[in-house]
Short mmCIF file of all heavy atoms in Angstrom, two decimals:
data_model
loop_
_atom_site.label_atom_id
_atom_site.label_comp_id
_atom_site.label_asym_id
_atom_site.label_seq_id
_atom_site.Cartn_x
_atom_site.Cartn_y
_atom_site.Cartn_z
N ILE A 121 23.59 56.59 -91.01
CA ILE A 121 24.56 57.44 -91.38
C ILE A 121 25.83 57.16 -90.41
O ILE A 121 25.56 57.18 -89.22
CB ILE A 121 24.27 58.92 -91.34
CG1 ILE A 121 23.11 59.13 -92.39
CG2 ILE A 121 25.47 59.79 -91.69
CD1 ILE A 121 22.55 60.64 -92.30
N VAL A 122 26.99 56.92 -91.03
CA VAL A 122 28.16 56.58 -90.19
C VAL A 122 29.30 57.37 -90.56
O VAL A 122 29.50 57.58 -91.81
CB VAL A 122 28.49 54.99 -90.28
CG1 VAL A 122 29.82 54.78 -89.78
CG2 VAL A 122 27.44 54.16 -89.65
N VAL A 123 30.09 57.91 -89.62
CA VAL A 123 31.33 58.64 -89.88
C VAL A 123 32.47 58.04 -89.01
O VAL A 123 32.20 57.59 -87.86
CB VAL A 123 31.19 60.14 -89.47
CG1 VAL A 123 32.50 60.84 -89.95
CG2 VAL A 123 30.04 60.73 -90.31
N ALA A 124 33.54 57.86 -89.64
CA ALA A 124 34.80 57.30 -88.92
C ALA A 124 36.03 57.87 -89.55
O ALA A 124 36.02 58.54 -90.49
CB ALA A 124 34.78 55.84 -89.02
N SER A 125 37.07 57.74 -88.67
CA SER A 125 38.45 58.20 -89.10
C SER A 125 39.02 57.42 -90.28
O SER A 125 39.95 57.88 -91.01
CB SER A 125 39.45 58.22 -87.94
OG SER A 125 38.97 59.15 -86.93
N GLU A 126 38.52 56.22 -90.47
CA GLU A 126 39.14 55.29 -91.45
C GLU A 126 38.15 54.59 -92.30
O GLU A 126 37.10 54.13 -91.75
CB GLU A 126 40.01 54.27 -90.77
CG GLU A 126 41.16 54.92 -89.96
CD GLU A 126 42.26 54.04 -89.49
OE1 GLU A 126 42.43 52.92 -90.27
OE2 GLU A 126 42.87 54.15 -88.43
N ARG A 127 38.27 54.48 -93.56
CA ARG A 127 37.39 53.88 -94.56
C ARG A 127 37.14 52.43 -94.32
O ARG A 127 35.93 52.01 -94.26
CB ARG A 127 37.76 54.16 -95.91
CG ARG A 127 36.97 53.58 -96.98
CD ARG A 127 37.30 54.10 -98.38
NE ARG A 127 38.70 53.94 -98.78
CZ ARG A 127 39.11 54.35 -99.88
NH1 ARG A 127 38.40 55.04 -100.67
NH2 ARG A 127 40.45 54.19 -100.15
N PRO A 128 38.25 51.52 -94.19
CA PRO A 128 37.90 50.10 -94.11
C PRO A 128 37.15 49.66 -92.86
O PRO A 128 36.51 48.67 -92.82
CB PRO A 128 39.30 49.51 -94.11
CG PRO A 128 40.24 50.55 -93.79
CD PRO A 128 39.56 51.84 -94.24
N VAL A 129 37.15 50.53 -91.80
CA VAL A 129 36.40 50.14 -90.65
C VAL A 129 34.93 50.23 -90.93
O VAL A 129 34.19 49.36 -90.60
CB VAL A 129 36.70 51.37 -89.57
CG1 VAL A 129 35.73 51.22 -88.36
CG2 VAL A 129 38.11 51.17 -89.05
N ILE A 130 34.51 51.25 -91.73
CA ILE A 130 33.09 51.32 -92.13
C ILE A 130 32.78 50.13 -93.09
O ILE A 130 31.79 49.54 -92.96
CB ILE A 130 32.79 52.68 -92.79
CG1 ILE A 130 33.07 53.78 -91.75
CG2 ILE A 130 31.42 52.74 -93.26
CD1 ILE A 130 32.95 55.27 -92.41
N GLN A 131 33.72 49.92 -94.05
CA GLN A 131 33.37 48.89 -95.02
C GLN A 131 33.19 47.47 -94.31
O GLN A 131 32.30 46.75 -94.65
CB GLN A 131 34.67 48.73 -95.85
CG GLN A 131 34.76 49.71 -97.04
CD GLN A 131 36.05 49.49 -97.92
OE1 GLN A 131 36.90 50.18 -97.92
NE2 GLN A 131 35.87 48.46 -98.57
N THR A 132 34.08 47.10 -93.33
CA THR A 132 34.02 45.87 -92.70
C THR A 132 32.73 45.81 -91.82
O THR A 132 31.99 44.80 -91.90
CB THR A 132 35.16 45.70 -91.76
OG1 THR A 132 36.39 45.67 -92.54
CG2 THR A 132 35.21 44.38 -91.07
N ILE A 133 32.35 46.80 -91.13
CA ILE A 133 31.22 46.77 -90.20
C ILE A 133 29.85 46.73 -90.95
O ILE A 133 29.00 45.99 -90.53
CB ILE A 133 31.37 47.87 -89.15
CG1 ILE A 133 32.51 47.65 -88.23
CG2 ILE A 133 30.04 47.98 -88.34
CD1 ILE A 133 32.92 48.93 -87.38
N LEU A 134 29.84 47.51 -91.95
CA LEU A 134 28.49 47.61 -92.71
C LEU A 134 28.49 46.76 -93.95
O LEU A 134 27.53 46.62 -94.59
CB LEU A 134 28.28 49.06 -93.03
CG LEU A 134 28.07 50.02 -91.87
CD1 LEU A 134 27.74 51.39 -92.35
CD2 LEU A 134 27.03 49.53 -90.91
N ASP A 135 29.57 46.06 -94.18
CA ASP A 135 29.73 45.22 -95.42
C ASP A 135 29.37 45.99 -96.71
O ASP A 135 28.39 45.58 -97.41
CB ASP A 135 28.74 44.01 -95.25
CG ASP A 135 29.00 42.94 -96.28
OD1 ASP A 135 30.08 43.01 -97.02
OD2 ASP A 135 28.12 42.15 -96.60
N VAL A 136 30.02 47.05 -96.80
CA VAL A 136 29.82 47.93 -98.05
C VAL A 136 31.08 48.06 -98.86
O VAL A 136 32.20 47.75 -98.41
CB VAL A 136 29.35 49.25 -97.78
CG1 VAL A 136 27.94 49.20 -97.11
CG2 VAL A 136 30.29 50.00 -96.72
N LYS A 137 30.92 48.29 -100.17
CA LYS A 137 32.13 48.39 -100.99
C LYS A 137 32.84 49.67 -100.87
O LYS A 137 32.42 50.69 -100.25
CB LYS A 137 31.69 48.29 -102.41
CG LYS A 137 31.02 46.98 -102.82
CD LYS A 137 30.63 46.92 -104.34
CE LYS A 137 29.94 45.68 -104.69
NZ LYS A 137 30.72 44.46 -104.28
N THR A 138 34.16 49.67 -101.31
CA THR A 138 35.05 50.89 -101.13
C THR A 138 34.43 52.11 -101.72
O THR A 138 34.49 53.09 -101.04
CB THR A 138 36.38 50.54 -101.84
OG1 THR A 138 36.95 49.38 -101.30
CG2 THR A 138 37.37 51.75 -101.78
N ASP A 139 33.88 52.05 -102.90
CA ASP A 139 33.39 53.25 -103.42
C ASP A 139 32.20 53.81 -102.89
O ASP A 139 31.71 54.91 -103.17
CB ASP A 139 33.05 53.00 -104.92
CG ASP A 139 34.46 52.70 -105.81
OD1 ASP A 139 35.48 53.15 -105.17
OD2 ASP A 139 34.30 52.11 -106.87
N GLN A 140 31.45 53.05 -101.99
CA GLN A 140 30.29 53.45 -101.33
C GLN A 140 30.69 54.47 -100.12
O GLN A 140 29.80 55.00 -99.56
CB GLN A 140 29.45 52.29 -100.88
CG GLN A 140 28.79 51.60 -101.97
CD GLN A 140 28.01 50.33 -101.37
OE1 GLN A 140 28.53 49.27 -101.23
NE2 GLN A 140 26.69 50.43 -101.34
N VAL A 141 31.85 54.27 -99.57
CA VAL A 141 32.35 55.04 -98.44
C VAL A 141 33.02 56.20 -99.00
O VAL A 141 34.08 56.16 -99.72
CB VAL A 141 33.26 54.31 -97.53
CG1 VAL A 141 33.64 55.14 -96.31
CG2 VAL A 141 32.54 52.90 -97.12
N ARG A 142 32.59 57.45 -98.68
CA ARG A 142 33.23 58.65 -99.28
C ARG A 142 34.05 59.42 -98.28
O ARG A 142 33.78 59.23 -96.96
CB ARG A 142 32.09 59.54 -99.76
CG ARG A 142 31.17 58.93 -100.87
CD ARG A 142 30.11 59.91 -101.36
NE ARG A 142 30.82 61.00 -101.97
CZ ARG A 142 30.16 62.09 -102.52
NH1 ARG A 142 28.86 62.11 -102.28
NH2 ARG A 142 30.70 63.11 -102.95
N GLU A 143 35.07 60.09 -98.74
CA GLU A 143 35.85 60.91 -97.86
C GLU A 143 35.22 62.32 -97.66
O GLU A 143 34.77 62.91 -98.74
CB GLU A 143 37.26 61.08 -98.56
CG GLU A 143 38.25 61.80 -97.58
CD GLU A 143 39.65 61.74 -98.09
OE1 GLU A 143 39.89 61.25 -99.19
OE2 GLU A 143 40.52 62.11 -97.43
N LEU A 144 35.20 62.74 -96.52
CA LEU A 144 34.77 64.21 -96.28
C LEU A 144 35.90 65.13 -96.75
O LEU A 144 37.06 64.92 -96.37
CB LEU A 144 34.49 64.42 -94.79
CG LEU A 144 33.80 65.70 -94.31
CD1 LEU A 144 32.42 65.66 -94.84
CD2 LEU A 144 33.94 65.79 -92.88
N MET A 145 35.59 66.02 -97.67
CA MET A 145 36.51 66.87 -98.21
C MET A 145 37.06 67.94 -97.26
O MET A 145 36.49 68.36 -96.26
CB MET A 145 35.92 67.46 -99.54
CG MET A 145 35.55 66.46 -100.57
SD MET A 145 37.06 65.67 -101.47
CE MET A 145 37.06 64.06 -100.55
N ALA A 146 38.26 68.46 -97.76
CA ALA A 146 38.75 69.59 -96.87
C ALA A 146 37.93 70.74 -96.92
O ALA A 146 37.30 71.22 -97.90
CB ALA A 146 40.11 70.00 -97.52
N GLY A 147 37.80 71.29 -95.67
CA GLY A 147 36.78 72.42 -95.47
C GLY A 147 35.31 72.15 -95.46
O GLY A 147 34.40 73.12 -95.38
N GLU A 148 34.95 70.89 -95.49
CA GLU A 148 33.63 70.54 -95.68
C GLU A 148 33.05 69.96 -94.24
O GLU A 148 33.69 69.38 -93.58
CB GLU A 148 33.47 69.38 -96.72
CG GLU A 148 32.11 68.99 -97.25
CD GLU A 148 32.06 67.98 -98.39
OE1 GLU A 148 32.80 66.84 -98.23
OE2 GLU A 148 31.50 68.24 -99.45
N SER A 149 31.76 70.21 -94.17
CA SER A 149 31.01 69.73 -93.07
C SER A 149 29.80 68.83 -93.43
O SER A 149 29.04 69.13 -94.37
CB SER A 149 30.64 70.88 -92.24
OG SER A 149 29.90 70.32 -90.99
N LEU A 150 29.73 67.73 -92.82
CA LEU A 150 28.56 66.79 -92.86
C LEU A 150 27.55 67.21 -91.76
O LEU A 150 27.92 67.21 -90.69
CB LEU A 150 28.96 65.37 -92.89
CG LEU A 150 27.93 64.32 -92.97
CD1 LEU A 150 28.52 63.06 -93.60
CD2 LEU A 150 27.24 63.98 -91.61
N ILE A 151 26.32 67.57 -92.14
CA ILE A 151 25.42 68.01 -91.15
C ILE A 151 24.14 67.09 -91.22
O ILE A 151 23.68 66.95 -92.34
CB ILE A 151 25.11 69.44 -91.31
CG1 ILE A 151 26.27 70.28 -91.01
CG2 ILE A 151 23.94 69.87 -90.45
CD1 ILE A 151 26.27 71.81 -91.41
N VAL A 152 23.65 66.65 -90.10
CA VAL A 152 22.39 65.92 -90.07
C VAL A 152 21.42 66.58 -89.14
O VAL A 152 21.81 66.91 -87.99
CB VAL A 152 22.70 64.40 -89.53
CG1 VAL A 152 21.37 63.60 -89.68
CG2 VAL A 152 23.82 63.76 -90.39
N LYS A 153 20.29 66.92 -89.67
CA LYS A 153 19.25 67.53 -88.90
C LYS A 153 18.50 66.48 -88.03
O LYS A 153 18.55 65.30 -88.27
CB LYS A 153 18.27 68.31 -89.70
CG LYS A 153 18.79 69.53 -90.40
CD LYS A 153 19.26 70.53 -89.46
CE LYS A 153 18.05 71.26 -88.78
NZ LYS A 153 18.47 72.22 -87.72
N LYS A 154 17.63 66.94 -87.14
CA LYS A 154 16.90 66.09 -86.25
C LYS A 154 16.02 65.19 -87.16
O LYS A 154 15.75 64.04 -86.72
CB LYS A 154 16.03 66.87 -85.37
CG LYS A 154 15.16 66.08 -84.38
CD LYS A 154 14.30 66.85 -83.37
CE LYS A 154 13.59 65.97 -82.51
NZ LYS A 154 12.76 66.81 -81.47
N ASP A 155 15.47 65.66 -88.21
CA ASP A 155 14.59 64.83 -89.08
C ASP A 155 15.41 63.83 -89.87
O ASP A 155 14.75 63.05 -90.74
CB ASP A 155 13.77 65.65 -90.02
CG ASP A 155 14.66 66.44 -90.96
OD1 ASP A 155 15.82 66.37 -90.99
OD2 ASP A 155 14.02 67.37 -91.66
#
């Protein structure tokens, strides 16, 4: 799981398509548990 301030940064490093990188929506939180 990767989060960054800019989409193309993730695309380039992980070699993924534009539509595979999603924008965190306004007021939304991405949460990852220990598991």
